[in-house]
Amino acid sequence: MIYTAIVFLPILASLYAGFFGRFSDAKVSEYLTSGVMVLVALLSWVVLLGSGFEGESLNTKVNILTWIEITGFKANWIIRVDTLTAVMFVVVNTVSSLVHIYSIGYMHNDPHRVRFFAYLSFFTFAMLTLITADNFLQMFFGWEGVGVASYLLIGFWYKKQSAGAAAMKAFIVNRVGDFGFALGIFGVLYVFGSIDFDTVFAAAPDMVGNSFNFLGYDLDVLTTLSILLFIGAMGKSAQFLLHTWLPDAMEGPTPVSALIHAATMVTAGVFLVARCSPLFELAPNALAFVTFIGATTAFFAATVGLVQNDIKRVIAYSTASQLGYMFVALGVGAYQAAIFHLFTHAFFKALLFLGAGSVIHAMSDEQDMRKMGGIASKIPRTYIMMLVGTLALTGFPLTAGYFSKDAIIEAAYVSHNFFSTYAFVAVVVAALMTSFYSWRLIFMTFHGKSRASKDVLSHVHESPLVMLTPLYILAAGALLAGILFSIYFIGDGQQVFWASSIFTSENNHILHDIHGVPALVKYSPFIMMVLGFVLAWYFYIKQPQIPVMLAKQFNGMYKFLLNKWYFDEMYDFLFVRGAQKLGTFLSVKVDKGVIDRFGPDGLASLVLRVTARVSKFQSGLLYHYAFVMLIGVAIMLTYFILWGAR
């Protein structure tokens, strides 16, 4: 009963707000959806703390209904709850409930806030159906539901052209990844004859070493299936090449950014790979590919975050970079460390996004950090919360990020994965850049001489308690989640905690090996954190003219990073303009030049003209028809008289 309530209460609240909320005061929908999410979040903690630490005991399935049943195929809707699901319950519902509460204050002046809360709850429901799926089709339903919800929320202010474009971009880019995911599901059904997780995972060892021929190449079955599934994760979790939608998602209201980046959509890909660990663990080449993409994303996104000026975009690229860390952990076989970082990241990244929203709220909707500065004393509570989030993100000792991110760096070092060395270097360098751009954000936003206009500065004020309370709770998670849960996620108690919800082979000892890394490796994240802080302080507090001078001196590199490695421009040239040229050619040359010319404007037009004239003979008068018959008889007699004898 408790699992059913967790999954379906959000959609009931969403339906009420969406269909009936307009007929009552907006506060009814706000408090109803938020109250439901608080209840669901509390139930999620009950599930995790009450059963999640007993390992095998948390392995429950609740059969809701027979969803699809046709000849040779059956898919039930089943709520699957194990430790991995319980952890995701806590992440999704805790952050979602706090975002709901925060939105009461943030969206209080928006005339369409009832619709906004309906979308938030629908988003949460879609994510819950994804993480409780017992088969690939059910997961795909939640997967696409999250995509639809993200489209609605990113484009919530649809009259704003940039918001509509960002929503379309997110939807279209994710369709690319989803196509790979769908092919993977088709492949799983073809190879295993089933899409049920238990059936597929149990049969996976028998497929090791099996291959199939494609275009003259012998491809490993498990490697191919795993990579296709991972392509779906690349889109949903904004990994390198399919990352371009994530920064533009900032066009939605700030609470949406927190929900998408911290707890729901972008973590779906990480969850997918962790859930499918029985497949990936048997496909080392696929894991190598995951490692390469994750490491590249961690480095790439960090470089772009160095020069961004929009406060939300800095945090957005930080999200992409941290997701890269998670995929590095998945790629080297440290699935537990990946989920641990997902867990801790949810707290401090939601804290940073909601803190940024509090700053924007105080600065009269200003998001450019170049127009901020010197406001720490005016919004001290928001400032302290942002400091806590930054410390956790950069891996300050004993904060949440210190335990989870450091474990990933150590796992990359001890791994024997083909790309492990590359991944180790990439994530260590990314740690330096993470510290730099995080403290750059703090210094540019809160310290130094204010660069805001007098009018904006005169209206700077602290956010109301309804917006600050979620920050306090998230700050507690950012400080304590690592130290309280590390022993269960990646420590001595991890085998009992995770039980069978995550599969690792007998040869996978990576979580044991990370305890024996050299001291320099162990302290490298701390060294990078300190170095990044010192550089940011020197550049933006001590000598603020240096960044301007460097931008001018290395203008090409600065523009390269500022324009996000020109991926948008490249994709526009290759795909958008190419599609437009192809469409123009088909329209002008093929449609009008061939089809219309020989179709509607050619043969079809001739037939119409002929039939129009012939139809005039159909007068309906008997003597006209008799006259035509006589002419016909005369023609026939003439033929037989003149030529018939021959």
Side-chain angles (χ1 to χ4, degrees):
M1 182 65 181
I2 186 173
Y3 307 132
T4 307
I6 289 174
V7 175
F8 290 105
L9 281 178
I11 190 59
L12 294 177
S14 174
L15 291 173
Y16 174 83
F19 289 102
F20 306 107
R22 72 186 73 177
F23 303 114
S24 60
D25 188 3
K27 291 187 180 296
V28 175
S29 296
E30 292 176 345
Y31 293 149
L32 174 65
T33 54
S34 301
V36 164
M37 284 313 308
V38 170
L39 173 62
V40 168
L42 292 174
L43 292 176
S44 299
W45 279 99
V46 169
V47 171
L48 179 64
L49 299 179
S51 303
F53 296 91
E54 300 176 11
E56 289 286 356
S57 63
L58 189 60
N59 190 4
T60 305
K61 294 185 180 183
V62 180
N63 193 351
I64 303 299
L65 52 84
T66 298
W67 187 21
I68 300 174
E69 186 172 11
I70 56 178
T71 304
F73 178 81
K74 182 178 181 180
N76 291 334
W77 189 290
I78 296 175
I79 297 177
R80 178 192 184 106
V81 182
D82 53 18
T83 308
L84 181 58
T85 307
V87 171
M88 295 301 296
F89 269 164
V90 168
V91 170
V92 172
N93 292 323
T94 300
V95 175
S96 181
S97 63
L98 296 175
V99 167
H100 273 73
I101 295 171
Y102 180 92
S103 298
I104 293 176
Y106 191 88
M107 301 291 290
H108 75 282
N109 287 326
D110 196 294
H112 306 292
R113 59 188 183 276
V114 172
R115 175 165 57 88
F116 179 78
F117 279 86
Y119 290 168
L120 283 183
S121 294
F122 171 63
F123 202 148
T124 307
F125 165 73
M127 190 66 189
L128 291 173
T129 60
L130 190 158
I131 63 177
T132 57
D134 191 50
N135 59 67
F136 283 101
L137 187 60
Q138 186 180 341
M139 177 180 280
F140 193 72
F141 175 86
W143 193 272
E144 294 303 305
V146 169
V148 171
S150 68
Y151 172 80
L152 296 173
L153 285 169
I154 295 170
F156 179 75
W157 289 319
Y158 58 88
K159 293 184 179 180
K160 185 179 176 184
Q161 186 176 1
S162 57
M168 286 294 295
K169 187 176 183 180
F171 196 79
I172 293 170
V173 172
N174 272 276
R175 297 291 71 71
V176 177
D178 293 353
F179 180 68
F181 188 22
L183 288 178
I185 296 175
F186 297 151
V188 166
L189 178 61
Y190 179 78
V191 171
F192 297 100
S194 174
I195 57 171
D196 292 331
F197 288 147
D198 289 341
T199 303
V200 173
F201 297 159
D206 296 332
M207 295 304 298
V208 174
N210 288 5
S211 61
F212 67 99
N213 187 273
F214 181 73
L215 299 178
Y217 294 93
D218 289 330
L219 303 177
D220 184 77
V221 171
L222 291 180
T223 299
T224 303
L225 293 178
S226 298
I227 289 177
L228 287 173
L229 294 174
F230 175 62
I231 289 174
M234 286 176 62
K236 200 66 72 181
S237 294
Q239 291 301 282
F240 188 68
L241 301 179
L242 295 179
H243 64 277
T244 54
W245 68 269
L246 191 62
D248 289 357
M250 298 302 96
E251 290 292 340
T254 298
V256 173
S257 304
L259 195 59
I260 290 177
H261 286 248
T264 54
M265 188 167 175
V266 295
T267 62
V270 179
F271 171 80
L272 167 64
V273 177
R275 174 62 79 200
C276 295
S277 56
L279 292 178
F280 282 87
E281 191 74 347
L282 302 175
N285 290 334
L287 288 178
F289 180 68
V290 173
T291 305
F292 173 77
I293 293 295
T296 304
T297 305
F299 176 81
F300 155 75
T303 63
V304 178
L306 294 173
V307 298
Q308 296 301 305
N309 297 309
D310 185 308
I311 187 172
K312 288 170 65 176
R313 284 182 179 267
V314 174
I315 305 173
Y317 278 104
S318 171
T319 297
S321 183
Q322 296 305 305
L323 288 165
Y325 275 85
M326 297 176 206
F327 281 106
V328 166
L330 293 168
V332 300
Y335 308 100
Q336 300 87 340
I339 299 300
F340 187 31
H341 196 49
L342 185 157
F343 180 76
T344 60
H345 175 264
F347 292 104
F348 59 74
K349 189 50 60 69
L351 175 60
L352 287 171
F353 266 115
L354 296 185
S358 183
V359 171
I360 296 168
H361 179 77
M363 295 293 293
S364 303
D365 296 328
E366 181 59 66
Q367 296 183 198
D368 193 332
M369 296 187 298
R370 293 171 297 183
K371 299 179 181 179
M372 299 181 185
I375 61 173
S377 60
K378 295 181 177 293
I379 48 173
R381 294 179 179 84
T382 297
Y383 171 61
I384 293 173
M385 295 301 100
M386 290 289 285
L387 277 180
V388 171
T390 299
L391 290 171
L393 172 61
T394 57
F396 190 82
L398 302 183
T399 60
Y402 168 77
F403 291 93
S404 58
K405 188 167 74 173
D406 288 18
I408 293 174
I409 294 174
E410 293 164 8
Y413 178 81
V414 301
S415 171
H416 299 293
N417 186 299
F418 183 79
F419 288 108
S420 59
T421 302
Y422 165 73
F424 172 72
V425 174
V427 294
V428 169
V429 174
L432 169 63
M433 292 187 286
T434 299
S435 179
F436 179 84
Y437 67 63
S438 297
W439 289 109
R440 172 179 177 265
L441 184 152
I442 293 294
F443 294 144
M444 289 185 68
T445 303
F446 296 101
H447 292 274
K449 185 180 179 180
S450 178
R451 298 172 297 279
S453 66
K454 291 183 179 180
D455 182 60
V456 171
L457 205 58
S458 64
H459 290 89
V460 175
H461 60 284
E462 189 62 272
S463 298
L465 188 62
V466 71
M467 291 174 62
L468 290 175
T469 301
L471 300 186
Y472 300 151
I473 297 173
L474 290 169
L479 291 173
L480 301 175
I483 197 169
L484 292 178
F485 292 97
S486 62
I487 188 173
Y488 302 105
F489 278 77
I490 58 172
D492 296 336
Q494 58 95 8
Q495 289 185 339
V496 174
F497 178 74
W498 291 111
S500 59
S501 62
I502 291 179
F503 173 79
T504 52
S505 65
E506 295 180 355
N507 298 323
N508 188 338
H509 307 292
I510 195 163
L511 291 185
H512 175 269
D513 295 342
I514 63 175
H515 300 294
V517 299
L520 183 60
V521 173
K522 188 173 184 63
Y523 293 117
S524 61
F526 178 77
I527 296 171
M528 296 297 104
M529 179 201 69
V530 173
L531 184 58
F533 170 81
V534 172
L535 285 173
W537 174 82
Y538 188 77
F539 279 20
Y540 294 95
I541 299 297
K542 183 69 174 177
Q543 299 289 340
Q545 73 277 8
I546 289 182
V548 179
M549 181 186 68
L550 290 176
K552 292 180 179 179
Q553 187 174 354
F554 301 98
N555 188 52
M557 177 60 69
Y558 175 72
K559 288 185 175 180
F560 179 71
L561 297 180
L562 190 64
N563 288 282
K564 305 155 286 187
W565 292 25
Y566 293 104
F567 268 101
D568 283 323
E569 290 77 5
M570 181 176 66
Y571 286 169
D572 180 69
F573 176 77
L574 292 176
F575 301 114
V576 178
R577 295 185 187 179
Q580 288 176 339
K581 290 180 180 178
L582 177 62
T584 301
F585 171 78
L586 293 175
S587 174
V588 175
K589 300 297 184 180
V590 178
D591 193 9
K592 295 180 180 179
V594 178
I595 298 176
D596 284 354
R597 181 179 178 185
F598 295 101
D601 297 335
L603 183 61
S605 178
L606 176 62
V607 170
L608 288 174
R609 290 196 300 269
V610 172
T611 54
R613 294 176 180 177
V614 171
S615 65
K616 294 179 180 179
F617 288 101
Q618 305 295 324
S619 65
L621 299 176
L622 182 61
Y623 59 86
H624 284 175
Y625 297 148
F627 177 70
V628 171
M629 291 174 64
L630 287 173
I631 292 175
V633 170
I635 292 172
M636 290 176 63
L637 289 173
T638 302
Y639 174 80
F640 283 111
I641 292 172
L642 297 179
W643 291 284
R646 300 179 187 177

